[in-house]
Amino acid sequence: MMKLENLREETESALYGLTADDSLKYRILQKAAQTPAETTKKGFHPFPVLCSVLAVLLLLTVALNHVRPLTPVEPGEMTVFAAGGKEEGSTSVFSSINASDIVSMELTSVGKLESSEKCAQLLSMLQQESFPAADEKWDNNEYLIISTSDGQSVKYPVNEPYFLYNTCWECQSFFDLFRNSIGK
């Protein structure tokens, strides 16, 4: 850095012979004599940023708690919807079987029931009272066989009180009513 005493010579050599009047020289000397004001940079303050992030997360949590994408369904019904889509409706267990088409029901470990009235009652119970259950181990060979009037039979693996219909379902009342209807 140069000294103030040498300012005149330094400015003369830097300006290559340009001359300034006395007022300009005075202003230059005044500016050089002043100490430079310290400039302060505003620092990073993590506390307000942290508070803002927490406030946004709290608002999102409250908002997401009030979002209900699906309406609750009755026990024994499955909610079916496309991934990423809207709710389309619910399908109950055995909804594809018409009670009037059933000729007989058979539990291989219990017996066969051929009363269409009792079979319709049992099917209604399956449709209304069964509910999803945790997967069970199927180590036996027991089945529920439903025969329809068009000559078709549908076979479902059972392990009382569970049976498989796409997934594992539970309906103890079905098995109890079936045994009472057979007389066992």
Side-chain angles (χ1 to χ4, degrees), residues 130-146:
S130 60
F131 55 91
D135 288 339
E136 287 293 313
K137 293 184 179 180
W138 301 92
D139 55 355
N140 57 5
N141 291 328
E142 295 183 41
Y143 294 96
L144 167 65
I145 302 169
I146 300 176

Side-chain angles (χ1 to χ4, degrees), residues 49-148:
V49 172
L50 179 64
C51 289
S52 300
V53 168
L54 287 175
V56 168
L57 289 175
L58 181 65
L59 289 174
L60 283 174
T61 303
V62 169
L64 289 176
N65 279 337
H66 294 293
V67 173
R68 301 283 182 233
L70 301 175
T71 56
V73 295
E74 294 295 321
E77 292 185 348
M78 293 187 307
T79 303
V80 180
F81 58 92
K86 296 179 180 176
E87 181 180 358
E88 293 179 10
S90 59
T91 305
S92 63
V93 178
F94 295 107
S95 64
S96 61
I97 300 173
N98 190 352
S100 62
D101 293 339
I102 296 177
V103 175
S104 68
M105 282 187 171
E106 179 182 358
L107 276 175
T108 54
S109 63
V110 178
K112 189 172 189 176
L113 183 64
E114 294 182 335
S115 168
S116 59
E117 192 174 289
K118 287 289 185 181
C119 290
Q121 185 181 6
L122 286 166
L123 179 67
S124 175
M125 184 172 287
L126 281 176
Q127 290 173 339
Q128 295 173 4
E129 296 183 22
S130 60
F131 55 91
D135 288 339
E136 287 293 313
K137 293 184 179 180
W138 301 92
D139 55 355
N140 57 5
N141 291 328
E142 295 183 41
Y143 294 96
L144 167 65
I145 302 169
I146 300 176
S147 300
T148 57

Side-chain angles (χ1 to χ4, degrees), residues 34 90 120 160 169:
Q34 291 178 354
S90 59
E160 187 174 344
W169 291 84

